[in-house]
Amino acid sequence: MERMSFKMPALTDNKRSIKHVGIIVFEGVILADVIGAADVFGVGDKLISSVFAGETGYAISLLSLYGGIVRSSASVEIMTLPLTSHDPQSFDTLLIASGTGNFNAYLEPGLIEWLQKAKNKVRRIGAICTGVFVMAAAGLLDNRRATTHWALQDKLIHEFPQIKVEREAMMTEDDGIFTASDVGMASDMALSFLENDLGVSVAKRVADSLVVCQRRRDNPTAVRPVRLTETCKNNKIQQASRWFIDHMAEPINIINAANFVSMSERNFQRQFKRETGWTPHEFLLHLRLEAVRQQLTETDLPVDKIARRCGFLNGEHVSKLFRKHLSISPCEYRRNERSVQKQLLSTTPPQEHQYDVSHHPCESPQPTASCSIRY
């Protein structure tokens, strides 16, 4: 079994100040978020120590609520340390990675209590996609601007109405609290932190040495439905939009949606178009295409099976739609995404890429607890 081990360099160089970065993960974490952020800070630290002597460096800890092995969405196992064994004050930066497990994690009282303590002790806290819900549950986003994935924005507003959701933003910042809308954006957020700490030139050199942020430039996101604005006056259209999201994998049609909100089909079509700028058919189509993109990226399922899972008739239908809307076939899209993931993993230096997870950066080195990623 191949293993990637994460241990920080020994922090015995008193000439450099060290900023402690905690990356918080839960079951189903998106691996690209972990590797993306770790690479930015890790490569940044090596660059700083070799070129910019005396400048601030970084130490990285991978954390989960109880510590131990956390399984990622790609079935890669990540060894972590327990979050609650660390004093929040020991961190300069916290980053909550995206993943399906975040929806269970934000119900954990111990996690919420720890984050609430961290609020006024940590210089900055960031969250990616579903990680925003963890931050919201701890009250860190109350009366602040934030964003999350477009398909989760209504859920975020419903559960945490005190948050000012920025529907069109890819990334937001409000008084040291950062949020990002899409999975895989941890590298982008980490680079923005690096730029804020050390300037544009250092951040650019780190970005140039990595391929993680090239993905967004080379592979634009698929066309997706325009979101309902917060000022939407028709609550039935909001309900219908959420109903489409919940039932998109089923063989539904526009009449089903109209019946759900007790509207005639003609009136529903007219109101939906007026409120969203899209017809119900267009909304559902692009919703399903987004789901196909995610399945192609995260699973090895054949296109036919993915098509049926996402509400399409067959793989041939999906192929035609992909070529029409993305100018690429589903198989080519998957190969491109896998190539990016492979490049992400290959950015590890020839020698073992190690990060210290065993002690506070300002303390004396102790026996190291390896934080490993296993395949």
Side-chain angles (χ1 to χ4, degrees), residues 77-212:
E77 294 179 340
I78 305 172
M79 181 63 73
T80 66
L81 289 181
L83 184 75
T84 52
S85 68
H86 289 70
D87 182 352
Q89 196 166 357
S90 69
F91 294 97
D92 170 81
T93 300
L94 291 173
L95 189 62
I96 305 172
S98 182
T100 55
N102 290 340
F103 291 115
N104 293 323
Y106 77 76
L107 303 176
E108 293 281 353
L111 170 65
I112 299 307
E113 181 181 357
W114 192 91
L115 287 173
Q116 288 171 342
K117 290 179 180 178
K119 181 177 181 180
N120 297 320
K121 297 181 178 180
V122 177
R123 181 163 65 104
R124 60 195 173 196
I125 305 177
I128 312 299
C129 194
T130 59
V132 174
F133 284 81
V134 178
M135 192 183 285
L140 274 62
L141 294 175
D142 288 358
N143 301 312
R144 296 181 188 271
R145 295 181 298 107
T147 189
T148 189
H149 192 276
W150 66 269
L152 298 172
Q153 288 172 354
D154 286 336
K155 176 179 173 65
L156 185 65
I157 292 170
H158 176 72
E159 294 190 20
F160 305 100
Q162 64 274 32
I163 298 174
K164 303 172 184 177
V165 176
E166 300 259 338
R167 289 184 176 270
E168 300 300 327
M170 292 294 288
M171 194 181 302
T172 67
E173 187 274 332
D174 194 329
D175 194 24
I177 302 295
F178 297 78
T179 60
S181 62
D182 212 348
V183 298
M185 287 189 66
S187 55
D188 300 77
M189 186 174 287
L191 273 172
S192 73
F193 292 166
L194 205 70
E195 180 177 329
N196 184 66
D197 292 346
L198 301 166
V200 176
S201 60
V202 175
K204 186 177 186 304
R205 291 191 65 169
V206 172
D208 288 345
S209 68
L210 297 171
V211 295
V212 290

Side-chain angles (χ1 to χ4, degrees), residues 174-340:
D174 194 329
D175 194 24
I177 302 295
F178 297 78
T179 60
S181 62
D182 212 348
V183 298
M185 287 189 66
S187 55
D188 300 77
M189 186 174 287
L191 273 172
S192 73
F193 292 166
L194 205 70
E195 180 177 329
N196 184 66
D197 292 346
L198 301 166
V200 176
S201 60
V202 175
K204 186 177 186 304
R205 291 191 65 169
V206 172
D208 288 345
S209 68
L210 297 171
V211 295
V212 290
C213 293
Q214 191 67 35
R215 174 182 180 179
R216 208 155 275 104
R217 292 191 291 270
D218 291 346
N219 297 291
T221 54
V223 177
R224 63 190 188 191
V226 173
R227 278 76 72 193
L228 301 176
T229 64
E230 292 184 32
T231 56
C232 179
K233 297 179 180 179
N234 194 326
N235 188 51
K236 287 188 174 183
I237 299 304
Q238 291 182 345
Q239 292 175 8
S241 175
R242 289 193 291 270
W243 186 85
F244 276 132
I245 293 172
D246 292 339
H247 296 272
M248 66 175 177
E250 303 170 14
I252 58 175
N253 56 42
I254 308 308
I255 296 177
N256 298 141
N259 290 340
F260 176 73
V261 292
S262 303
M263 295 175 68
S264 69
E265 181 183 1
R266 182 178 178 181
N267 187 38
F268 177 69
Q269 295 259 20
R270 184 174 63 254
Q271 294 285 347
F272 199 99
K273 175 73 173 180
R274 186 176 68 182
E275 293 286 345
T276 69
W278 291 73
T279 67
H281 175 75
E282 290 169 338
F283 184 92
L284 180 60
L285 172 63
H286 291 287
L287 189 70
R288 285 170 165 168
L289 284 175
E290 181 76 7
V292 171
R293 288 178 64 247
Q294 183 178 355
Q295 290 281 302
L296 287 170
T297 302
E298 298 181 0
T299 77
D300 293 319
L301 293 173
V303 176
D304 253 346
K305 190 165 187 177
I306 290 175
R308 291 191 293 272
R309 278 191 171 191
C310 298
F312 290 112
L313 293 174
N314 50 48
E316 184 179 356
H317 185 199
V318 167
S319 295
K320 290 179 179 179
L321 290 170
F322 257 61
R323 291 192 181 280
K324 177 181 178 180
H325 293 279
L326 299 174
S327 301
I328 193 173
S329 73
C331 292
E332 289 170 333
Y333 179 85
R334 172 178 272 165
R335 281 197 299 270
N336 289 348
E337 290 295 301
R338 296 294 167 84
S339 176
V340 169

